[in-house]
Amino acid sequence: MSAAALTALQSIIHVIDLRFHRYFADAMSKIIALHPTFVGQAGTFDRDGCLVLVNESLVCVLLRMTRKRSEPELWHKWFLETGYGPCRHLPQERVFESIDAAAGWVATRVGGNPRVQVDPQLLR
């Protein structure tokens, strides 16, 4: 093999190696953060909500089902209002038993082994 061919091959291996490390670094560094918020219409902020972010990018909005707006069997469960990016394809069943179940669904959508951070206010 000529010196030029060897140098070209080493350059290709270096690029592949960089892409490999970048891919796995991204997959390993994903953080799912769930933040409480209030959601309402026409100036009435009467619903508990949750903004779900992956590495600081909004991926979905969850709403806590309440007595005012749902049947008793749905009280305190979480409804997936909308999704973006990896969560844009909404599941047929959009109600989650707990905030942890919703976070688990998001984790399956983003892939890898993300770290989940749930604000304690959402666990009440």
Side-chain angles (χ1 to χ4, degrees):
M1 183 178 289
S2 71
L6 183 58
T7 302
L9 183 59
Q10 287 174 333
S11 295
I12 291 169
I13 291 170
H14 180 70
V15 168
I16 291 170
D17 190 49
L18 284 176
R19 288 183 181 170
F20 177 81
H21 286 293
R22 197 172 299 139
Y23 171 80
F24 282 101
D26 287 347
M28 293 174 69
S29 65
K30 289 180 184 169
I31 298 173
I32 299 173
L34 292 91
H35 299 285
T37 189
F38 291 104
V39 179
Q41 296 176 351
T44 61
F45 299 99
D46 62 346
R47 297 186 74 182
D48 287 340
C50 174
L51 300 178
V52 182
L53 299 102
V54 174
N55 291 351
E56 299 182 7
S57 294
L58 183 65
V59 294
C60 65
V61 177
L62 301 166
L63 299 176
R64 189 188 313 253
M65 308 298 276
T66 63
R67 290 181 179 163
K68 289 182 186 178
R69 303 194 184 261
S70 63
E71 298 80 33
E73 63 271 9
L74 296 176
W75 292 350
H76 306 292
K77 295 182 182 180
W78 290 88
F79 176 74
L80 177 59
E81 180 69 23
T82 190
Y84 307 98
C87 297
R88 71 185 172 278
H89 301 293
L90 302 177
Q92 189 157 351
E93 180 56 47
R94 293 170 58 180
V95 176
F96 298 98
E97 291 290 323
S98 65
I99 199 70
D100 291 329
W105 177 80
V106 172
T108 64
R109 302 302 301 166
V110 300
N113 189 19
R115 193 165 39 118
V116 178
Q117 300 173 340
V118 179
D119 188 295
Q121 291 180 0
L122 296 169
L123 300 174
R124 293 185 278 146

